[in-house]
Amino acid sequence: MDDNKGKCPGAYSTIEIVTGKWKPMILYQLAQSESVRFNELKRLIPDITQKMLTSHLKELEFHDIIDRKVYAQVPPKVEYSLTEYGRGIVPILSALQNWGKNHLSRLEQMYDHEKTEING
Amino acid sequence: MDDNKGKCPGAYSTIEIVTGKWKPMILYQLAQSESVRFNELKRLIPDITQKMLTSHLKELEFHDIIDRKVYAQVPPKVEYSLTEYGRGIVPILSALQNWGKNHLSRLEQMYDHEKTEING
DNA sequence: CGGCATCCGGCCTGATACTG
DNA sequence: CAGTATCAGGCCGGATGCCG
């Protein structure tokens, strides 16, 4: 990793890429299948707006994390998929998820503990 | 905010915690030593403002990632350190950093390649 | 030394309407 | 189907000044 005087550990580039309210879930969904169409993604992530989905997909494509394949036909068809490079992020997502799940159950435990104290 | 019927990976809780322009670096710095004082952190992260440092530290403390130890004395002294729990994040930071470094060197390679093509 | 309060600008996000 | 365009709001981050 970067030395101290270089101040910023390389984490930022990753965080910048993974950050965004929906990017982790987009990547997660893409990691589940070979390729996903635009509206399918929208269906898989109901709360996302088209604008956010589009812009995030664009960013991810720019960073060469995902691949965008356009079929010149009517009706239009666009498929998104993780690039070989993008698959390198999956383990990080997993780590994030594992930690997050762990964290959530920890929170629940603390909550239960509180309840127990109150009820007991 | 998490699960849309279990579809959302727990990544969010982690991202929420680690996200913030400076949090990764704060955690990184704290991971380097047993404990760090407020102004020391500010010195280690020159570009951060006091406000951001304070608020981020508060959030991290709230999430039980870091410990805040106040010495009732003059001049005041406050030390921050990773909690045992917080140390669980370090591997994630490392993964982030590794991927980030990889990514950066990849970018450099692409840049060099472009230059070569232009110059050649 | 280690904060907090206030104000402010910009980016991120979102709702809605339109296009090829 | 897969976007683009426009407008609006809210939160994040930054600068400055005050306090124990």
Side-chain angles (χ1 to χ4, degrees), chain A residues 47-58:
Chain A
D47 293 346
I48 198 173
T49 58
Q50 271 187 337
K51 178 184 176 181
M52 285 300 99
L53 183 53
T54 303
S55 73
H56 281 160
L57 286 171
K58 230 186 278 185

Side-chain angles (χ1 to χ4, degrees), chain B residues 25-78:
Chain B
M25 190 159 8
I26 292 174
L27 291 172
Y28 171 75
Q29 297 297 347
L30 290 176
Q32 303 301 303
S33 22
E34 282 300 311
S35 65
V36 187
R37 295 185 56 175
F38 186 85
N39 270 7
E40 199 175 349
L41 270 176
K42 225 174 101 46
R43 187 174 50 75
L44 290 168
I45 314 172
D47 293 345
I48 199 173
T49 58
Q50 270 186 336
K51 176 186 177 178
M52 284 300 99
L53 183 52
T54 303
S55 71
H56 281 162
L57 285 171
K58 228 186 281 182
E59 282 179 54
L60 292 170
E61 186 197 3
F62 174 80
H63 289 299
D64 198 19
I65 307 297
I66 67 173
D67 188 42
R68 184 173 185 270
K69 195 170 183 181
V70 183
Y71 296 82
Q73 62 180 47
V74 179
K77 176 177 170 183
V78 182

Side-chain angles (χ1 to χ4, degrees), chain A residues 66-112:
Chain A
I66 68 174
D67 189 40
R68 184 173 185 271
K69 195 169 183 180
V70 183
Y71 296 83
Q73 63 180 44
V74 178
K77 176 178 171 183
V78 182
E79 282 188 346
Y80 294 91
S81 57
L82 283 183
T83 60
E84 193 54 35
Y85 182 56
R87 300 220 169 255
I89 284 190
V90 177
I92 296 183
L93 286 178
S94 305
L96 254 48
Q97 286 174 28
N98 286 334
W99 194 91
K101 279 202 311 197
N102 202 321
H103 182 66
L104 290 177
S105 49
R106 191 184 140 106
L107 287 183
E108 278 169 22
Q109 277 174 31
M110 291 171 69
Y111 176 65
D112 288 346

